[in-house]
DNA sequence: TTGTGAGGAGCGAAGACCACT
DNA sequence: TAGTGGTCTTCGCTCCTCACA
């Protein structure tokens, strides 16, 4: 049963036309700002629209225009700060450009789930898809996508013709963090990486590795987490046992928090015994019990760039930019400091 | 000129019908699982659909069915953990019921922005709206909503006929937290509340106040924050100066983190000098340098309840439940403990 | 001519109704 | 008379064509 009608309880364009005494086409012109309508008629039409509470029917418009103005977003791990905030800034960017988002957040990260989700998005008539998933998962091709363009900031997707890849140069952040710790006088820097399937994790790791290499420092083994505070804690327990680790760069703030928790538990002081640098500058990083030194990124810029290029592809233009200048900034707080002067002997 | 078409590059139902050699109507029947189609024909139609890569046109379907199956979500403060995770679980709940979400996240919280956002959602043809905003903002009425039903877990909305309010009994969490601290032996409990405009903040505060009252304890003044770690820190600096505050219940984990930061900065130990209890159990609460005692809630249940009732309203049924049994659990970690024995000597 | 408006076709799918077995 | 399946119309809107100032 149910009324089920989304808006305007059956008031349609022709009703507006009739109350004003013009043709339906004229009302259409007014709504779409088309020319050839006298100002006086325009005003009367607008008044009638207001009075009747008329709202255009999106479905009818989409049908005839062959456009839905819907962009799909495929996201995983939306419980994490980064992915979640990216979805919201994508939504914001989309709305600014006259599009809306269709969200598909994957509960599990499997190629099969991904295919299903893509099917779902296409069924909803999306005109483009943004991938916010680790790109090892993305086993897609043009056949599956039905020619719909895609965009991502997580790295190139194979076998897809119409795609825009935004290189957000995450490595730069890794360099900043690592160099900061070296500048403080640490011999070398350990790294709690994110999952290597994530492009962002690989790039941050690469920035770390290259900085160490350039400084001619020895590179400790990479410890891989999964972005969670828990994984940071678990890896941190290993690190806490060895006293040659005086500086650690964690791939995100939550892993850094877990690390600090493990260090505190082991009785190691921050930054006295171990300096910690995170990545993201989540709002609460500043207010940890030891305020966290971290890398701040303007994620909104990346989202806007991703959306711009995708919209360009959708509208048949060549995407303007593929490299976006992202402002990355080191925010120094209390979790990083110079190493303790080494006495000649270990404890 | 872009192609702009969302799916299936122009393959429409008639094409499927022609390749099989049946009428368009028969294909429609197969797709919608309608009766009166021989299994053999059904199989051939399905095969043709697969082969041609046919995808139903959502706009056309929506037009003729007078249904969009879109539910709007109006959210603010999506940078916070709570609102963000609620949006995602709403999305999940909606998808399970065959609906999709249209998201409108408000950058600023003003009644004017809210009206604009509602207009936007209605223009997108939403069949119902979920409010995830502090309810003091919600100045709406049926005229503005055009008769679209609403649902919320943030409290009753005045002047709206078709609405479902889910009472998630947040007060219970406040009681659990406060009682826990009293049970540990604290004389009384301070409260860092959330912004009083939020129903959730008021309820948690009420749970705290009533527990103190029932125990016959003196009630310290309420300190109001804004959910952020920063506000927790600022209020915490005030609290850190007075040594009669031995136990604090913060309205969410992030305020609790800020509080712990301020306490640590002031040299007060946790839980030795001050016990802290949060609310939400964000994933990193367990891995703070002093792991945070907090209240865990199954937010997903609330979201599902909100969506169920809204869908019931949309489909013209009477909503089944308005009160939902939410599992709230005290998670005891290291940030709470017994008070230090007072030097003057207890009785 | 140059605005300014009306009328009609059709987008893709589903429902009412009819025509065969 | 059931079960099948086809035909025609309709949803609300935009574009095209054409009529009138």
């Amino acid at each position: 049963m149910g009324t089920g009608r989304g808006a305007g309880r059956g008031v349609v364009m022709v009703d507006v036309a009739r109350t004003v005494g013009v043709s339906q086409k004229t009302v259409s012109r007014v709504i779409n700002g088309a020319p050839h309508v006298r100002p006086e008629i325009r005003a009367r039409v607008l008044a009638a629209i207001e009075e009747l509470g008329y709202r255009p029917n999106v479905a009818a418009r989409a049908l005839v225009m062959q456009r839905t103005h819907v962009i799909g977003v495929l996201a995983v791990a939306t419980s994490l700060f980064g992915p979640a905030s990216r979805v919201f800034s994508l939504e914001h960017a989309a709305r600014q450009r006259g599009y809306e988002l269709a969200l598909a957040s994957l509960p599990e990260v499997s190629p099969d789930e991904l295919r299903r989700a893509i099917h779902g998005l296409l069924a909803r008539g999306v005109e483009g898809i943004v991938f916010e998933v680790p790109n090892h998962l993305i086993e897609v091709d043009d056949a599956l996508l039905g020619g719909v363009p895609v965009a991502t900031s997580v790295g190139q997707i194979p076998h897809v013709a119409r795609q825009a890849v935004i290189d957000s140069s995450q490595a730069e952040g890794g360099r900043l963090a690592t160099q900061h710790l070296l500048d403080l006088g640490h011999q070398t820097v350990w790294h709690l990486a994110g999952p290597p399937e994530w492009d962002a994790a690989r790039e941050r790791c690469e920035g770390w590795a290259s900085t160490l290499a350039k400084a001619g420092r020895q590179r400790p083994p990479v410890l891989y987490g999964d972005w969670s505070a828990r994984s940071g804690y678990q890896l941190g327990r290993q690190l806490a046992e060895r006293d040659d680790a005086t500086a650690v760069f964690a791939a995100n703030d939550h892993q850094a928090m877990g690390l600090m928790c493990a260090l505190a538990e082991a009785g190691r002081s921050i930054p006295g015994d171990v300096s910690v640098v995170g990545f993201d500058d989540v709002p609460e990083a500043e207010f940890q019990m030891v305020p966290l030194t971290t890398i701040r990124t303007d994620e909104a810029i990346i989202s806007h760039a991703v959306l711009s290029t995708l919209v360009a592809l959708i509208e048949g233009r060549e995407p303007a930019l593929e490299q976006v200048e992202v402002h990355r900034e080191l925010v120094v707080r209390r979790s990083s400091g110079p190493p303790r002067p080494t006495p000649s002997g270990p404890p």
Side-chain angles (χ1 to χ4, degrees), chain A:
Chain A
M1 297 292 141
T3 70
R5 35 194 61 206
R9 313 129 308 183
V11 181
V12 299
M13 204 182 266
V14 76
D15 298 325
V16 177
R18 253 196 288 270
T19 62
V20 180
V22 296
S23 79
Q24 186 220 41
K25 177 64 215 180
T26 302
V27 178
S28 169
R29 284 204 181 101
V30 170
I31 289 173
N32 297 300
H36 307 313
V37 180
R38 250 178 302 165
E40 182 242 330
I41 298 246
R42 179 182 304 273
R44 277 169 54 203
V45 167
L46 289 174
I49 287 175
E50 181 70 25
E51 184 193 320
L52 297 176
Y54 166 74
R55 253 183 271 283
N57 181 313
V58 271
R61 176 182 247 138
L63 177 58
V64 70
M65 302 290 285
Q66 301 282 45
R67 296 290 314 271
T68 61
H69 285 271
V70 175
I71 288 176
V73 175
L74 219 63
V76 300
T78 45
S79 59
L80 299 179
F81 174 82
S85 64
R86 254 172 272 138
V87 165
F88 291 114
S89 62
L90 281 172
E91 192 265 339
H92 190 221
R95 199 132 47 102
Q96 283 188 334
R97 289 167 179 75
Y99 286 78
E100 63 176 300
L101 284 197
L103 179 61
S105 53
L106 297 182
E108 286 175 46
V109 284
S110 75
D112 201 58
E113 278 285 349
L114 189 107
R115 296 182 87 82
R116 208 191 319 280
I118 291 177
H119 262 106
L121 287 177
L122 292 175
R124 284 145 83 179
V126 300
E127 300 181 343
I129 296 181
V130 178
F131 284 92
E132 284 287 352
V133 298
N135 53 355
H136 81 290
L137 269 182
I138 310 178
E139 282 179 28
V140 297
D141 51 36
D142 282 322
L144 173 61
L145 290 171
V148 165
V150 304
T152 170
S153 61
V154 298
Q156 181 92 11
I157 302 170
H159 312 305
V160 173
R162 300 174 66 201
Q163 68 172 305
V165 182
I166 298 297
D167 179 357
S168 59
S169 62
Q170 308 250 11
E172 176 62 17
R175 277 192 286 276
L176 281 173
T178 311
Q179 193 61 53
H180 165 65
L181 289 165
L182 292 181
D183 289 348
L184 285 170
H186 294 274
Q187 277 308 303
T188 190
V189 177
W190 289 65
H191 182 42
L192 294 197
E197 304 88 46
W198 289 72
D199 205 77
R202 284 198 306 277
E203 285 189 30
R204 293 170 194 188
C205 184
E206 201 181 292
W208 161 78
S210 69
T211 304
L212 286 186
K214 200 155 68 182
R217 304 303 170 85
Q218 180 224 337
R219 186 168 80 200
V222 179
L223 304 175
Y224 290 101
D226 65 2
W227 297 129
S228 73
R230 166 167 279 114
S231 73
Y233 171 78
Q234 286 160 346
L235 297 171
R237 290 179 59 136
Q238 301 172 26
L239 270 183
E241 286 179 9
R242 46 193 313 159
D243 50 8
D244 62 336
T246 66
V248 186
F249 161 47
N252 73 344
D253 285 350
H254 287 155
Q255 287 191 180
M257 289 179 197
L259 167 64
M260 293 200 293
C261 175
L263 291 171
E265 195 179 278
R268 295 178 68 84
S269 77
I270 303 168
D273 295 320
V274 183
S275 284
V276 176
V277 176
F279 201 111
D280 281 346
D281 195 24
V282 301
E284 59 276 18
E286 183 176 353
F287 302 100
Q288 294 299 291
M289 290 182 68
V290 174
L292 182 61
T293 296
T294 186
I295 303 293
R296 177 182 298 162
T297 305
D298 193 346
E299 290 280 357
I301 289 186
I302 302 176
S303 296
H304 277 265
V306 167
L307 227 103
S308 284
T309 52
L310 184 57
V311 166
L313 283 174
I314 289 171
E315 295 177 354
R317 304 192 306 272
E318 277 310 299
L321 73 179
E322 299 211 342
Q323 183 98 20
V324 40
E325 206 55 47
V326 185
H327 185 58
R328 300 207 184 262
E329 186 185 354
L330 174 74
V331 184
V332 180
R333 301 206 182 97
R334 297 226 327 270
S335 70
S336 59
R340 210 158 259 168
T342 46
S344 33

